[in-house]
Amino acid sequence: MIQTANDIFVLHTEHTTYAFRKLPTGQLEHLYYGRKIHVCEPLDENAVAPLIEKHTFQPGNSCVYDREHDAYTLEDVCLEMSSYGKGDIREPFVELIYEDGSFSSDFVYESSARFEGREARDAENALPASYDEKDQVEHLCVTLKDNNSALKLELHYYIYEDCDVITRSAKLINDGENAVQIRRLMSCQVDFQTSDYVFTSFHGAWAREMRRWDVPVAAGKYVNASYTGTSSSRANPFVMLSGRETTEDTGDCYGFNLVYSGNHYEAVEVNSYGKTRFVSGINPQNFCWQLPAGESFETPEAVMAYSRAGYNGMSQCMHRFVREHIVRGAWKKKVRPVLLNSWEAAYFDINEKKLLQLARAGKEAGIELFVMDDGWFGHRDNDRSSLGDWKVNTKKLPNGLAGLCKKINDLGMDFGIWVEPEMVNVDSELYQAHPDWAMDIPGKNHSEGRNQRLLDLSRAEVQDYIIGQMSDLFSSANIAYVKWDMNRIVTDYYSKILPPERQGEVAHRYVLGLYRCMKELTERFPEILFEGCAAGGNRFDLGILSYFPQIWASDDTDALCRAEIQTGYSYGYPMSVVSAHVSSCPNHQTLRVTPLETRFQVAAFGVCGYECNFCDMKKEDFEAVKAQIALYKEWRKVLQTGSFYRGRNFSDQGSTSSLSGPLTGNIQEWTCVSEDREKAVGFLMQKLVSPNTQFEYYRPNGLNPEARYHFYNRSLKYNVKEFGDLVNTVAPVHIRQDSVAHNLIAKFVKMDGEAEDFCAYGDALMYAGVKLKQAFGGTGYNEQIRHFPDFASRMYFMEQMND
């Protein structure tokens, strides 16, 4: 709901309020963002008097905006947007260079308007944005004018009441006769009157994405940014601001994200007056956009959420928003299929016979979708050639894509394919025909990444080529799934079609070209399930999710790493968009060995698939996989569409971290609850065993406190070899470890695992927690003992009882 009168603006969601007003100087003063409050009617200065900071005399050693308002220095005011030149020396919202070389901007209030529904973005250079299926989102547009030029700046606000989310974007319009250079135009700015906040960002690299870092910001500036050409595995655009005492379930928490897939920038700055400013938008590093007379520039959309119920409360807001107002298309509400991907089973060494053998084993296990990964086109036997040449290698696939696809379909499975459309190898027919299409600097050496170069997507003819090639490919067979990869970052930013003074536009124009390709292809092939991938999680963002309903979260499939990675994503993204696979051990990224059940249980809390060679798997493991897939199918609607909550987690660290990494916990807890709260699935994982610690508990979240639930686990059997020489404590004769006798016993003798099975009310489960069966502690084992070695985990199931 929007209240506006007398140049005062109050935006309400179900549980939050956001307020600002026009200052006597003409700027917009930010008044409040937080827990929902009542604002008196009529809406005037008296109604918001408690929210207005009082100014009588300017602070020492500061500049006033003008002589008529000598009580105001913009350096000591909470503002809705800011610029350089009029006394505010903090992080600016906008930074411009005018034709005369000056860079002082002076944007003041001109007008405002309210609308129902979203306006269409400019057709040319359109960015993705949130949406509402009923187009009932409320929209506020506040227009500012520059006192020194004919520039206008529109600030757009969109209210998603059901999610407690407000989104923001900006549009700069040049109504003058001269061009202006945009050096910075942010999407969001929020000023807070105090400085008692912790800034949380998520960092990492390939195979170790989304590690959480908490930094108390009491003075100075902290920046989270990407300069990779992508949203980046180094620094995700999702960040949080919270109180120092905030926990998963209590305290103030603000979440911010950006609907953008390129270089981004989030900064928190505390000034000398103890005020905190947050800004987010396109990274201004090497960004320079020439805005000619008569044209406009729009920023990506920024997303803001607030909850007083801690990190989990804010996450629930973000999750609902992404599911309902970002993800779209035929797969928005569909449960996702269980897939088997060929990559870790075969890498580039594929052929039709090998793929069909793998697919048949997958079908027997219960797989619904078979995916052929890299290596099927050109002379692609390694990563040094053929990108850009999307022609089937008939030596590997003599019956082509259509022939292989038909055979997979005849087995009763859908067929999927891997592509990397944005890339080209120098060793390719495409590069030989169009070397100018590659993004490199003529006459200068190029820095390679994975032996490939980017195609210059700022060029319309390159976009047309990708759209045409992919359209031909996707229509050549009954393709049900596409994994869209992007395996390098951007170096040597340069477009051969832009003049020297416009090279600062390349990074943003690339992203705009990418969005055009994705938009056209997803509209042409609406039934295909597209999955985004960029060397794993190098481009995990709301821009990609506006076209592709799921993203491959990391190339790291190690269960321990994935538990931490998926927890990191869960702060800002629902698990329904996080693709996760079960792979073989030793793991291909870490060489770590983790239990097969743990690998499955971690993957089950995302969009679950498999990436291992079923043909080489032990019979015992293959039977376990069949049981896993059957269980996942039974519970996947809860797991994919339910509300996700974190409990204790491996990144538990209070509010401090160090250069050597955060202090970490030993237990990971997750709970996923169906929308009606009638069913829930819990997860508990341990990193390392601590001797003689037999006690453990699991505490769910999100249940109906008044309902009674049947709580139970899946009772498993364990290989006697996992107990090593301890077999001799019960064997009538001595058994040498790994001997023929030991292996024979292991084949027929299984150790029963513990069973948890009882009924309890939701409040008892959530507030008291469940005291679990005693863990093995070296003093004995039977079916009442929890077998819980290093990296062990459990799934717990809760079903509401109707008695």
Side-chain angles (χ1 to χ4, degrees), residues 459-567:
R459 301 174 65 149
E461 66 269 36
V462 174
Q463 300 167 26
D464 292 339
Y465 175 81
I466 291 174
I467 292 167
Q469 288 285 297
M470 293 299 106
S471 294
D472 291 344
L473 178 61
F474 299 159
S475 58
S476 68
N478 185 26
I479 294 172
Y481 163 100
V482 169
K483 180 181 178 181
W484 183 301
D485 214 338
M486 193 272 201
N487 277 300
R488 63 158 293 172
I489 65 173
V490 181
T491 58
D492 302 309
Y493 289 95
Y494 196 84
S495 175
K496 302 177 185 75
I497 65 167
L498 292 176
E501 67 272 14
R502 304 199 72 161
Q503 292 301 321
E505 301 176 12
V506 172
H508 184 59
R509 288 190 180 276
Y510 181 95
V511 176
L512 294 174
L514 171 67
Y515 288 151
R516 184 201 159 202
C517 294
M518 290 181 169
K519 182 176 187 295
E520 292 211 18
L521 288 167
T522 52
E523 288 176 353
R524 291 185 186 187
F525 301 93
E527 297 304 319
I528 288 179
L529 172 58
F530 285 88
E531 178 173 290
C533 178
N538 202 43
R539 203 162 60 188
F540 200 112
D541 58 72
L542 300 183
I544 298 301
L545 290 172
S546 297
Y547 303 102
F548 300 166
Q550 62 190 52
I551 300 175
W552 178 231
S554 175
D555 283 343
D556 187 347
T557 54
D558 177 280
L560 178 62
C561 297
R562 264 310 188 104
E564 295 183 87
I565 290 168
Q566 289 171 212
T567 294

Side-chain angles (χ1 to χ4, degrees), residues 421-437:
E422 302 161 64
M423 300 295 168
V424 63
N425 290 117
V426 171
D427 180 11
S428 68
E429 294 177 9
L430 177 61
Y431 187 84
Q432 299 308 311
H434 295 284
D436 57 313
W437 284 8

